Amino acid sequence: MMTDRRTSPYGFRVEAESEAVPEARRKILALVRGWDVTLPDDTLGDLELLSTELITNAVRHTDSSCAVVVRWTGVRVRVEVTDVSPARPQRCHGALEAEGGRGLVLVESLATAWGSAPDPAGKTVWFELGPSDGTPPPWSTPGKWTITTDSGSATSGYLPAWAEDDPTEAHVPLDQLPERLAGINHRNFFEGPMLPLTAPDVWEGVEEDAVFEGSIDCNPYDPDPGLRVPVVNLQVCVGRWILGLDPQRVAEVAAKLRTHADFLDEKVRPALIAAREDWAAHPA
């Protein structure tokens, strides 16, 4: 049966059970076929394979359920899988390591585009399938979002071109409209440099993770007027954020980072070299 593409985005939860992954794969394929999008059969086969790999990785490596969102960008099919682990897949020596190994190599080789982003629940790994002109399409259609209630009333707002999600929804119970509006978050993630991190009181050893990654966020119905316009939220490192930055404060943080980078390079590094040379000259 054909389904309306306005069901995009479509989300559901996948439990950490052996039969859940095949069921999720079939659900995704049936949904996309119902949208009647112009994807050839081999691309639909890739959709089935890559969906299986991402969902399997999510439940196998966390032993927990995961959330799946399927959306039509207007050009491509996009599948997002969110699990409870903050550890994101990383490229290493031309291959992909961390969770899933082979599965993530498949994702990189078959997907038109793919990536990962931090999420309050853990992380989201996503892929897109469809035509490629060398630049990925926006994650949502710029212009306007509309939430329609079951009573027929509609609330609309501006949807920025950079937003990763379209909050458009239909048949929302009227008494749930305030909750839906409060939850609207226009967001665009950006990555930070990978550095070796350790937290002696939390885990042993060293883990490579991103620092100063974050997102541009706008919450048009937030009680704080300062968050109703786009701000930058910076995660200093895992679980540590600098929140609500306006353009001036972004510039201030950037200036401090540049100053600190210069301090590390011009002061700390020479001092370290001198200390190491001094240490070598005076063995214990």
Side-chain angles (χ1 to χ4, degrees), residues 128-240:
E128 292 180 354
L129 287 170
S132 175
D133 59 1
T135 57
W139 290 6
S140 56
T141 303
K144 184 175 76 171
W145 57 264
T146 302
I147 296 178
T148 306
T149 68
D150 54 6
S151 66
S153 64
T155 303
S156 298
Y158 173 59
L159 180 63
W162 48 264
E164 296 175 355
D165 280 315
D166 183 345
T168 294
E169 192 174 357
H171 308 299
V172 172
L174 184 60
D175 61 351
Q176 294 182 18
L177 179 61
E179 179 183 350
R180 293 292 203 279
L181 296 177
I184 293 177
N185 174 218
H186 302 313
R187 170 173 290 176
N188 188 287
F189 284 105
F190 54 86
E191 297 185 351
M194 298 295 296
L195 292 175
L197 304 179
T198 185
D201 296 334
V202 181
W203 73 77
E204 296 181 359
V206 176
E207 295 184 6
E208 285 279 332
D209 214 327
V211 299
F212 289 104
E213 64 183 3
S215 56
I216 299 173
D217 289 88
C218 178
N219 300 77
Y221 291 89
D222 196 280
D224 182 353
L227 300 181
R228 297 176 195 166
V229 297
V231 297
V232 162
N233 294 321
L234 284 177
Q235 182 175 233
V236 179
C237 59
V238 178
R240 303 291 187 268

Side-chain angles (χ1 to χ4, degrees), residues 85-107:
S85 169
R88 293 162 60 187
Q90 302 297 332
R91 290 178 177 84
C92 185
H93 305 300
L96 282 163
E97 294 187 351
E99 330 169 325
R102 168 186 169 273
L104 291 174
V105 170
L106 282 174
V107 173

Side-chain angles (χ1 to χ4, degrees), residues 245-265:
L245 299 177
D246 59 24
Q248 178 59 36
R249 292 182 65 199
V250 171
E252 291 172 0
V253 170
K256 289 181 179 180
L257 289 174
R258 281 192 292 268
T259 299
H260 191 61
D262 291 341
F263 172 73
L264 289 173
D265 193 37

